[in-house]
């Protein structure tokens, strides 16, 4: 059973019950390049009540600095870099802290600039990714391309995420590194969302792209850094001792059951699902209590609207 | 248990035991653009002994006419269009004969020119595929592209195969048609080979590309037209009544256990695996009798060499 937030007294209760608000971005704060209604006012309301806010996104196409720019452009002021946890950042931290990849090793990237920037910020050299030498020239594909025939012996990890720049050369080069050295080079994914909601459509998600190279190589990623993986939650808690001590004072707000809601629940937080993303109200209402969110709402901006 | 063809008397026995020889192409006749040693002489030997020969390929990037050109270019003379069964042709026949798609319906193609040509030869209009309007411009992706936002209401089938021209726009547009009309538009694949051997490497195969849109849409193809699907075998038998009546007089020659050898075995033929493709001798020798090929050989050209 879940409860719909549809009255002012419920919003007051939430403001009383929670100190830490974790927000997914795509489908909650914005849809593509459009901010959702009354999100700015709702975030201002939380700040006014001295709530701690984190933005937790699986979209690895941007680095944290890029997200700060996006927040500003959409009229959300005063977001600090320490409040933004993206799967590209989580992946870079994983490669450094968990994988302990030496800095003289290189990282092969199937993905976008966000992953490259976060890895480079930690001192790694990246290959693949947005390298212009790997941009496909129309319909041509050349199996003699050096990216396929001259594999770099210093590559110590293969990382993959959402790739709007995907092409056959990059996929096949990624496959070579996944097969190399008896399939022993670590394979790390940012996230495994099947689809990527954009402008009212479902586009191909990171998980579906990663599935191509997984299927061809017979390998699943050794680790998945984004939601619902708890390594991202543990990073947030490390930065926020209050949440770590008392996770029930935290509320995870998202638009996806299998990533956002699971992420919050597994981390010991309460959860709020908003219907501005991919889930439908009739599905949410019918969920058994193990998987139902604590609350749901038509949109995040209802917090502000219901108090008017 | 399987038997290695390694002596002249074995070749004579095979010439006595079989009238119909079915050949996979990639990894058996050629590797990419290079013909394998003594294949021309072996095919001439079979013709001299009045054997019936078919070329059965899962590579959908070419149409039958393109294959005739390739045979000629590689020095294999006198191949007739009726001797060539490609998965692009099998797919077009499936769409017309089994799916019975009306000719005023359109077919959305995730794939190459081979599929487009075979469908057009049967009178269908194709969308997607090699359309230059869908070629990605470098790193840019535009979610407002008409291929995503203006779906064609006349599309009556989605077909997919090997796509060296793959990009995020084409994958996402394919996903829109797979999701459209409550996922009811038929979804047909040429083949599901995981990998595509080329120049000593394993590149991304049709099956791994199709997996991306399958995973994102939650749909598996409704039909797979290439090997090991028996619809391709049935087409060959329909053209060759002698093989239909007496499949044990037929030998399927290929380089893959899970497609070629299964295809031959399921069709009631004996099988010969050659080691010029992706399988290794130690794996083949260790196979249980249910999945072991009848024979194996280092290469097809050994037929000719052993008789010298």
């Amino acid at each position: 059973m879940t409860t719909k937030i549809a009255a002012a007294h419920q919003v007051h209760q939430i403001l009383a019950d929670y100190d830490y608000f974790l927000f997914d971005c795509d489908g909650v704060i914005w849809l593509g390049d459009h901010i959702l209604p009354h999100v700015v006012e709702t975030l201002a309301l939380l700040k006014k009540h001295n709530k701690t806010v984190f933005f937790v996104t699986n979209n690895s196409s941007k680095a944290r600095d890029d997200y700060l720019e996006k927040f500003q452009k959409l009229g959300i002021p005063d977001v600090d870099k320490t409040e933004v946890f993206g799967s590209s950042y989580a992946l870079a931290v994983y490669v450094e802290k968990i994988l302990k990849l030496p800095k003289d090793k290189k990282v092969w990237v199937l993905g976008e600039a966000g992953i490259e920037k976060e890895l480079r910020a930690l001192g790694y050299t990246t290959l693949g990714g947005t390298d212009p030498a790997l941009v496909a020239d129309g319909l041509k594909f050349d199996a003699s391309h050096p990216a396929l025939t001259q594999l770099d012996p210093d590559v110590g990890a293969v990382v993959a995420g959402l790739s709007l720049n995907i092409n056959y050369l990059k996929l096949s080069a990624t496959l070579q590194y996944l097969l190399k050295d008896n399939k022993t080079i670590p394979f790390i994914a940012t996230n495994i969302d099947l689809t990527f909601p954009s402008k009212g459509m479902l586009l191909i998600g990171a998980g579906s792209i990663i599935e191509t190279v997984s299927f061809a190589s017979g390998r699943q990623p050794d680790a998945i850094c984004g939601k619902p993986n708890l390594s991202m939650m543990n990073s947030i808690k490390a930065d926020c001792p209050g949440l770590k001590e008392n996770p029930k004072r935290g509320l995870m707000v998202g638009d996806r059951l299998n990533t956002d809601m699971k992420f919050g629940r597994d981390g010991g937080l309460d959860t709020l699902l908003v219907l501005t993303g991919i889930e439908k109200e009739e599905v949410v209402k019918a969920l058994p209590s193990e998987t139902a969110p604590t609350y749901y709402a038509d949109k995040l901006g209802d917090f502000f609207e219901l108090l008017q």
Side-chain angles (χ1 to χ4, degrees), chain A residues 192-205:
Chain A
I192 51 165
D193 298 62
L194 302 186
T195 54
F196 172 52
S198 179
K199 304 201 175 184
M201 294 176 286
L202 293 178
L203 304 181
I204 297 287

Side-chain angles (χ1 to χ4, degrees), chain A residues 201-215:
Chain A
M201 294 176 286
L202 293 178
L203 304 181
I204 297 287
S208 298
I209 289 170
I210 292 166
E211 186 66 11
T212 306
V213 292
S214 276
F215 201 64

Side-chain angles (χ1 to χ4, degrees), chain A residues 29-30 32-35 40 69-76:
Chain A
I29 305 290
W30 57 63
D33 290 328
H34 300 279
I35 190 153
V40 174
E69 262 178 50
K70 180 159 185 174
F71 281 112
Q72 199 158 23
K73 213 168 117 193
L74 292 179
I76 305 170

Side-chain angles (χ1 to χ4, degrees), chain A residues 88-303:
Chain A
S88 51
Y89 174 60
L91 178 137
V93 170
Y94 186 96
V95 168
E96 185 186 49
K97 303 282 190 212
I98 313 288
L99 214 58
K100 297 186 196 307
L101 188 74
K103 295 293 163 82
D104 59 350
K105 287 284 184 185
K106 297 174 187 169
V107 181
W108 174 269
V109 177
L110 177 66
E112 305 250 347
I115 298 175
E116 295 174 323
K117 285 187 196 173
E118 296 289 8
L119 283 165
R120 288 174 189 165
L122 295 182
Y124 290 107
T125 303
T126 66
L127 297 176
T130 60
D131 181 353
L134 304 178
V135 172
D137 176 15
L139 301 178
K140 283 181 227 155
F141 166 73
D142 177 11
S144 313
H145 195 287
L148 294 170
T149 57
Q150 296 167 30
L151 299 190
D152 192 310
D154 294 330
V155 165
V158 175
V159 304
L162 185 66
S163 309
L164 305 190
N165 58 42
I166 194 176
N167 65 38
Y168 190 79
L169 174 62
K170 293 181 188 184
L171 287 171
S172 288
T174 304
L175 177 59
Q176 303 316 302
Y177 285 106
L178 290 177
L179 296 175
K180 194 171 174 277
D181 302 344
N182 282 319
K183 306 188 182 183
T184 53
I185 300 177
F187 175 26
I188 316 296
T190 55
N191 63 303
I192 51 165
D193 298 62
L194 302 186
T195 54
F196 172 52
S198 179
K199 304 201 175 184
M201 294 176 286
L202 293 178
L203 304 181
I204 297 287
S208 298
I209 289 170
I210 292 166
E211 186 66 11
T212 306
V213 292
S214 276
F215 201 64
S217 65
R219 293 183 63 178
Q220 289 298 310
D222 304 313
I224 299 148
C225 299
K227 296 170 283 182
N229 191 308
L230 283 182
S231 68
M232 189 118 113
M233 181 66 84
N234 292 336
S235 301
I236 298 169
K237 286 179 177 172
D239 283 3
C240 180
L243 178 64
K244 188 175 181 178
E245 273 165 44
N246 203 347
K248 278 289 171 205
R249 297 289 298 172
L251 185 68
M252 172 70 210
V253 185
D255 72 323
R256 284 182 182 246
L257 291 165
N258 64 342
T259 52
D260 300 322
M261 298 298 98
K262 179 167 169 38
F263 177 72
R265 202 166 58 235
D266 289 355
L269 283 66
D270 280 349
T271 53
L272 166 66
L273 184 99
V274 291
L275 298 173
T276 37
I278 65 161
E279 311 290 356
K280 299 270 172 289
E281 182 163 15
E282 57 269 27
V283 173
V284 176
K285 283 165 70 177
L287 288 170
S289 53
E290 313 90 77
T291 53
T294 320
Y295 317 99
Y296 76 99
D298 287 331
K299 61 179 188 296
L300 175 58
D302 286 355
F303 275 47

